[in-house]
Amino acid sequence: MAMAGTLIVAPHAHAARVPARATAVVEQMYTGSKVAAQATAVVEQVHTDALVIHHEPARPRRYTVQAGDTLSSIAQRFYGNPADWQWLAQANPSVIHNPNAIYPGEVLNVPFGPPARTTASTPATPAGPTVLTSSAGLSGTLSCSGLEELWEEAGGSDAQAVMAASIAMAESSGQQFATGTVGERGYWQINPNHGSLSTYDPLGNAKAAVIISDDGTNWTPWTTFTSGAYLGRC
Protein backbone atom coordinates (compact mmCIF):
# COMPACT_ATOMS: atom_id res chain seq x y z
CA MET A 1 0.00 0.00 0.00
CA ALA A 2 2.83 2.41 0.68
CA MET A 3 4.12 1.88 -2.86
CA ALA A 4 0.70 2.63 -4.24
CA GLY A 5 0.64 5.86 -2.21
CA THR A 6 4.02 6.83 -3.63
CA LEU A 7 2.83 6.25 -7.16
CA ILE A 8 -0.12 8.54 -6.55
CA VAL A 9 1.89 11.33 -4.87
CA ALA A 10 4.74 11.47 -7.40
CA PRO A 11 2.66 12.86 -10.28
CA HIS A 12 1.35 15.61 -7.97
CA ALA A 13 4.88 16.73 -7.07
CA HIS A 14 5.89 16.79 -10.75
CA ALA A 15 2.80 18.79 -11.65
CA ALA A 16 3.59 21.38 -8.94
CA ARG A 17 7.08 21.97 -10.36
CA VAL A 18 5.84 22.63 -13.89
CA PRO A 19 3.67 25.63 -13.00
CA ALA A 20 6.57 27.05 -10.98
CA ARG A 21 8.85 26.93 -14.00
CA ALA A 22 6.12 28.36 -16.20
CA THR A 23 5.62 31.21 -13.74
CA ALA A 24 9.35 31.95 -13.79
CA VAL A 25 9.32 32.04 -17.58
CA VAL A 26 6.33 34.37 -17.63
CA GLU A 27 7.96 36.64 -15.07
CA GLN A 28 11.17 36.67 -17.12
CA MET A 29 9.19 37.53 -20.24
CA TYR A 30 7.36 40.29 -18.36
CA THR A 31 10.63 41.68 -16.98
CA GLY A 32 12.20 41.49 -20.44
CA SER A 33 9.25 43.32 -21.96
CA LYS A 34 9.58 46.08 -19.35
CA VAL A 35 13.28 46.46 -20.11
CA ALA A 36 12.55 46.51 -23.82
CA ALA A 37 9.86 49.12 -23.32
CA GLN A 38 12.21 51.25 -21.24
CA ALA A 39 14.98 50.87 -23.81
CA THR A 40 12.55 51.86 -26.57
CA ALA A 41 11.50 54.94 -24.57
CA VAL A 42 15.15 55.95 -24.11
CA VAL A 43 15.88 55.52 -27.80
CA GLU A 44 12.80 57.55 -28.70
CA GLN A 45 13.86 60.30 -26.27
CA VAL A 46 17.38 60.37 -27.69
CA HIS A 47 15.95 60.50 -31.18
CA THR A 48 13.64 63.37 -30.19
CA ASP A 49 16.50 65.27 -28.55
CA ALA A 50 18.66 64.73 -31.63
CA LEU A 51 15.91 66.14 -33.81
CA VAL A 52 15.58 69.20 -31.59
CA ILE A 53 19.33 69.83 -31.67
CA HIS A 54 19.47 69.27 -35.40
CA HIS A 55 16.82 71.93 -36.03
CA GLU A 56 18.28 74.63 -33.77
CA PRO A 57 19.03 77.75 -35.89
CA ALA A 58 22.70 78.64 -36.28
CA ARG A 59 23.91 81.58 -34.22
CA PRO A 60 24.71 84.67 -36.30
CA ARG A 61 28.38 85.43 -36.89
CA ARG A 62 29.79 88.91 -36.49
CA TYR A 63 33.15 90.40 -37.38
CA THR A 64 34.72 93.70 -36.32
CA VAL A 65 36.55 95.41 -39.18
CA GLN A 66 40.29 95.83 -38.61
CA ALA A 67 42.66 98.35 -40.19
CA GLY A 68 43.63 97.20 -43.70
CA ASP A 69 40.52 95.03 -44.19
CA THR A 70 38.51 95.02 -47.40
CA LEU A 71 35.24 93.24 -48.07
CA SER A 72 37.17 90.96 -50.40
CA SER A 73 39.72 90.02 -47.74
CA ILE A 74 36.95 89.36 -45.19
CA ALA A 75 35.12 87.19 -47.73
CA GLN A 76 38.35 85.28 -48.38
CA ARG A 77 38.74 84.70 -44.67
CA PHE A 78 35.22 83.36 -44.06
CA TYR A 79 34.25 81.84 -47.42
CA GLY A 80 37.57 81.10 -49.09
CA ASN A 81 36.55 83.21 -52.09
CA PRO A 82 37.06 87.00 -52.31
CA ALA A 83 34.29 87.24 -54.91
CA ASP A 84 31.75 86.47 -52.18
CA TRP A 85 32.19 89.99 -50.74
CA GLN A 86 28.74 90.77 -52.18
CA TRP A 87 27.19 88.50 -49.50
CA LEU A 88 28.68 90.80 -46.87
CA ALA A 89 27.53 93.98 -48.63
CA GLN A 90 23.98 92.68 -48.98
CA ALA A 91 23.83 91.45 -45.39
CA ASN A 92 24.94 94.83 -43.96
CA PRO A 93 23.02 97.58 -45.79
CA SER A 94 22.85 99.82 -42.72
CA VAL A 95 26.63 99.69 -42.22
CA ILE A 96 28.08 99.45 -45.72
CA HIS A 97 27.05 102.35 -47.92
CA ASN A 98 30.05 102.08 -50.21
CA PRO A 99 31.71 98.64 -50.55
CA ASN A 100 35.02 100.36 -51.26
CA ALA A 101 34.95 102.20 -47.94
CA ILE A 102 34.76 100.19 -44.73
CA TYR A 103 36.28 101.38 -41.48
CA PRO A 104 37.92 99.88 -38.39
CA GLY A 105 35.46 99.31 -35.59
CA GLU A 106 32.46 98.63 -37.80
CA VAL A 107 30.69 95.38 -36.88
CA LEU A 108 29.49 93.27 -39.80
CA ASN A 109 27.03 90.39 -39.91
CA VAL A 110 28.70 87.44 -41.63
CA PRO A 111 26.03 85.14 -43.14
CA PHE A 112 26.68 81.42 -43.47
CA GLY A 113 25.40 81.49 -47.05
CA PRO A 114 24.00 83.83 -49.72
CA PRO A 115 21.48 86.38 -48.39
CA ALA A 116 17.84 85.84 -49.34
CA ARG A 117 17.84 88.94 -51.52
CA THR A 118 20.43 89.82 -54.11
CA THR A 119 21.14 93.17 -55.70
CA ALA A 120 21.49 93.23 -59.46
CA SER A 121 23.32 96.55 -59.58
CA THR A 122 26.03 95.79 -57.02
CA PRO A 123 29.24 97.79 -57.62
CA ALA A 124 32.40 96.18 -58.93
CA THR A 125 34.53 94.07 -56.62
CA PRO A 126 36.53 96.21 -54.19
CA ALA A 127 40.23 95.89 -54.88
CA GLY A 128 43.33 96.71 -52.90
CA PRO A 129 43.91 97.21 -49.19
CA THR A 130 43.84 101.03 -49.13
CA VAL A 131 40.15 101.36 -48.31
CA LEU A 132 40.76 104.25 -45.89
CA THR A 133 42.41 106.59 -48.38
CA SER A 134 40.68 109.95 -48.66
CA SER A 135 39.16 110.47 -52.10
CA ALA A 136 40.18 114.12 -51.91
CA GLY A 137 43.77 113.23 -51.06
CA LEU A 138 43.56 114.84 -47.65
CA SER A 139 46.69 114.06 -45.65
CA GLY A 140 49.73 115.67 -44.08
CA THR A 141 49.21 118.94 -42.21
CA LEU A 142 45.66 120.20 -42.72
CA SER A 143 43.99 123.55 -42.19
CA CYS A 144 40.60 123.95 -40.56
CA SER A 145 38.85 123.66 -43.91
CA GLY A 146 40.77 120.49 -44.72
CA LEU A 147 39.83 118.97 -41.36
CA GLU A 148 36.18 119.89 -41.89
CA GLU A 149 36.23 118.23 -45.31
CA LEU A 150 37.90 115.13 -43.90
CA TRP A 151 35.31 114.92 -41.10
CA GLU A 152 32.45 115.07 -43.60
CA GLU A 153 34.10 112.54 -45.91
CA ALA A 154 34.28 110.13 -42.96
CA GLY A 155 30.52 110.41 -42.60
CA GLY A 156 30.44 113.10 -39.92
CA SER A 157 27.56 115.52 -39.57
CA ASP A 158 27.89 118.74 -41.57
CA ALA A 159 26.54 120.65 -38.58
CA GLN A 160 29.43 119.40 -36.43
CA ALA A 161 32.21 119.93 -38.98
CA VAL A 162 33.51 123.21 -37.51
CA MET A 163 33.49 121.81 -33.99
CA ALA A 164 35.27 118.66 -35.16
CA ALA A 165 37.92 120.68 -36.95
CA SER A 166 38.38 122.89 -33.87
CA ILE A 167 38.92 119.83 -31.66
CA ALA A 168 41.41 118.34 -34.13
CA MET A 169 43.31 121.62 -34.44
CA ALA A 170 43.54 121.91 -30.65
CA GLU A 171 44.60 118.28 -30.32
CA SER A 172 47.20 118.00 -33.10
CA SER A 173 47.60 121.42 -34.76
CA GLY A 174 46.31 119.66 -37.87
CA GLN A 175 49.27 117.27 -38.10
CA GLN A 176 48.60 113.79 -39.44
CA PHE A 177 51.36 112.04 -37.50
CA ALA A 178 50.96 113.88 -34.21
CA THR A 179 51.58 111.52 -31.28
CA GLY A 180 50.42 112.11 -27.71
CA THR A 181 52.18 111.32 -24.44
CA VAL A 182 50.39 107.97 -24.06
CA GLY A 183 50.44 107.09 -27.75
CA GLU A 184 47.41 109.02 -29.02
CA ARG A 185 47.48 109.16 -32.81
CA GLY A 186 46.58 111.48 -35.63
CA TYR A 187 44.49 114.59 -36.13
CA TRP A 188 41.98 113.76 -33.39
CA GLN A 189 44.56 112.11 -31.11
CA ILE A 190 42.73 108.79 -30.79
CA ASN A 191 43.80 106.95 -27.65
CA PRO A 192 45.33 103.46 -28.13
CA ASN A 193 42.72 102.00 -25.78
CA HIS A 194 40.35 102.25 -28.75
CA GLY A 195 42.30 99.50 -30.48
CA SER A 196 42.34 99.60 -34.28
CA LEU A 197 40.47 102.94 -34.26
CA SER A 198 43.71 104.55 -33.14
CA THR A 199 45.43 105.13 -36.48
CA TYR A 200 47.45 107.72 -38.37
CA ASP A 201 45.45 107.05 -41.52
CA PRO A 202 43.61 110.34 -42.26
CA LEU A 203 40.21 108.92 -43.11
CA GLY A 204 40.47 106.18 -40.50
CA ASN A 205 41.32 108.75 -37.82
CA ALA A 206 38.39 110.94 -38.82
CA LYS A 207 36.07 107.94 -38.85
CA ALA A 208 37.24 107.07 -35.35
CA ALA A 209 36.38 110.59 -34.21
CA VAL A 210 32.91 110.22 -35.72
CA ILE A 211 32.36 106.93 -33.88
CA ILE A 212 33.80 107.98 -30.50
CA SER A 213 31.99 111.35 -30.47
CA ASP A 214 28.72 109.73 -31.57
CA ASP A 215 28.75 111.86 -34.72
CA GLY A 216 29.75 115.01 -32.91
CA THR A 217 27.13 114.87 -30.15
CA ASN A 218 29.57 113.98 -27.35
CA TRP A 219 33.03 115.54 -27.28
CA THR A 220 33.74 114.88 -23.58
CA PRO A 221 36.40 112.21 -24.30
CA TRP A 222 38.66 115.02 -25.59
CA THR A 223 40.37 117.11 -22.91
CA THR A 224 40.65 120.03 -25.34
CA PHE A 225 36.86 120.16 -25.26
CA THR A 226 36.39 119.86 -21.52
CA SER A 227 39.13 122.46 -20.90
CA GLY A 228 37.83 124.80 -23.57
CA ALA A 229 41.11 124.75 -25.49
CA TYR A 230 39.24 124.17 -28.76
CA LEU A 231 37.52 127.55 -28.64
CA GLY A 232 38.54 129.91 -31.43
CA ARG A 233 40.67 127.32 -33.25
CA CYS A 234 38.51 127.28 -36.39
Side-chain angles (χ1 to χ4, degrees), residues 151-152 156-162 215:
W151 165 266
E152 292 175 6
S157 166
D158 294 350
Q160 292 293 325
V162 174
D215 198 12

Side-chain angles (χ1 to χ4, degrees), residues 122-143:
T122 307
T125 303
T130 56
V131 294
L132 299 179
T133 300
S134 167
S135 61
L138 297 168
S139 61
T141 301
L142 298 179
S143 63

